[in-house]
Structures are given as C-alpha cells and as structure tokens.
Amino acid sequence: MAGFQSFATTALAALVLSGCTAMTPPVDVTRFHNAQVTPIVPGSVIIQPNMVDEGDSRSIEYATYSAALLRELQRVGFSEARDDKQNSDYIIRYTLERAVLSASGSRSPVSVGVGGSTGSRGSGVGLGIGIDLSGPPKDKVVTELSVRLTKRESGNIVWEGRASVEAKDGSPASQPGLAAAKLAEALFKDFPGESGTTIRVP
C-alpha cells in the first residue's frame, strides 16, 4: 500500500501542477462535529478506504485519494501512522462515489428564425438559418468524497464531512487525480469548519 501511495502522491502532484490553470468547478462541502465543546487535538492517523472489494484499496485511484487526504491532514496538523498496526490516535475512513448524470432533454443542431430587416431601398423580411455546431450537451460526472474521523481509543466519530463536485464528462475536473486534490482541499478548508452548514468552495 505504501508503494501505491508514494506513486499516487507523485502522480497527484503532477496532475495538480498541470491542472492548476484549468477551470475547475466549485465544490459543495458539508461537515459535522462537536469541536466547540470537545476540541479536536491533532495526532497520528491511518487512512482506510471503505470499499466493496478488498482489492480496490490497492487501486491507483484509491491510493490517489488516500494521498490527497493525507496531504490535507498533515497540513492541519495530523501525522501519518507508520503502518496499520501502529496504535494511532485516529482512523480516517472514507467512501468514494462517482456517478454519471445524463444530459437532460434534446437540442436540435439546426435552428431557423425569421426577422425584419431594413435597407437603403426600404424594408423587407429576412430569413436567417443558424447552425449550432456545439454538438449535443455532455453528460456530467458527479464525484463525492465522504470522510469520517474516528478516535481509535473510544471508537467515537469526532468529525465527518462530505464534499462533491460536478464536472462535464471528459473535462480536467472530472479526472480522478484532479478531483481528489480538489475535494480533499475543500473538505479540510478551515478545519474543522462550521458544523451543519453547507458551503461552496471555489
């Protein structure tokens, strides 16, 4: 797993650099916690993806998301546990969901309009034919990242958040690597964030 995460970290950095100038859509973020009463003190953490198939945890995509989450956790003061067997202070469990939203409705590639026109010899009626070359609307890819931060000793969930982004199919923001960086960064922005409120992070 460590090898995959190392590879994913390098790939993630390259994707972020190459996509930094690309237009990325905003991310919707919702978080829940009780940090006002019991502050979350950063400590060591391990990251465990929730997956249907155990082999999924070794996939490059999951490793990319794990690397993106670790990067943001370290930024807000957490440290990585050396391995899963270490008695870490916290456990991060996350779920990744991707869905395709089909473009709704139909659009004709040809439109015809009739309008009035005025010339030097008087007035007349012009027939205009416009051809729409933009093609049919594209499907949209919705990526959602759900994260829970659990205190290992007590098993209590001390923080949880959900971030989602919607991007046109085939656009840079719909690619797993760039989506991972964008979602993780938005999720841990101003950690722990305001509980119970949905914000939009540009």
Side-chain angles (χ1 to χ4, degrees):
M1 184 66 177
F4 274 92
Q5 286 193 351
S6 177
F7 172 83
T9 301
T10 303
L12 177 63
L15 280 167
V16 171
L17 288 174
S18 64
C20 62
T21 58
M23 292 298 292
T24 56
V27 177
D28 291 325
V29 177
T30 307
R31 295 166 287 196
F32 296 94
H33 58 82
N34 198 25
Q36 290 81 2
V37 177
T38 307
I40 302 172
V41 180
S44 60
V45 62
I46 63 171
I47 301 175
Q48 298 178 345
N50 291 324
M51 60 280 182
V52 177
D53 185 345
E54 186 175 350
D56 288 345
S57 66
R58 300 187 64 84
S59 73
I60 294 176
E61 183 172 11
Y62 272 102
T64 300
Y65 274 85
S66 294
L69 286 171
L70 177 60
R71 176 176 174 270
E72 294 304 315
L73 284 164
Q74 290 175 329
R75 184 181 61 79
V76 297
F78 289 84
S79 60
E80 181 185 16
R82 293 182 179 179
D83 55 60
D84 292 354
K85 295 180 181 180
Q86 181 179 342
N87 190 26
S88 63
D89 299 311
Y90 297 93
I91 300 174
I92 278 280
R93 292 187 175 91
Y94 71 90
T95 301
L96 173 63
E97 295 182 5
R98 290 167 63 86
V100 177
L101 297 180
S102 298
S104 59
S106 59
R107 181 172 60 183
S108 172
V110 178
S111 60
V112 178
V114 178
S117 64
T118 302
S120 59
R121 295 186 179 181
S123 63
V125 175
L127 176 64
I129 300 179
I131 301 177
D132 185 353
L133 301 177
S134 61
K138 290 187 176 182
D139 294 341
K140 291 185 178 180
V141 177
V142 179
T143 306
E144 183 174 284
L145 178 64
S146 300
V147 175
R148 285 185 173 182
L149 178 65
T150 302
K151 192 76 173 178
R152 178 188 281 275
E153 184 177 354
S154 64
N156 294 331
I157 298 172
V158 297
W159 182 93
E160 59 182 320
R162 180 177 65 253
S164 63
V165 64
E166 184 178 301
K168 289 183 178 180
D169 189 18
S171 67
S174 71
Q175 303 307 308
L178 192 57
K182 182 81 174 181
L183 289 170
E185 181 180 359
L187 198 56
F188 286 93
K189 179 179 176 62
D190 301 325
F191 179 83
E194 186 174 350
S195 182
T197 301
T198 298
I199 63 172
R200 177 156 286 191
V201 180

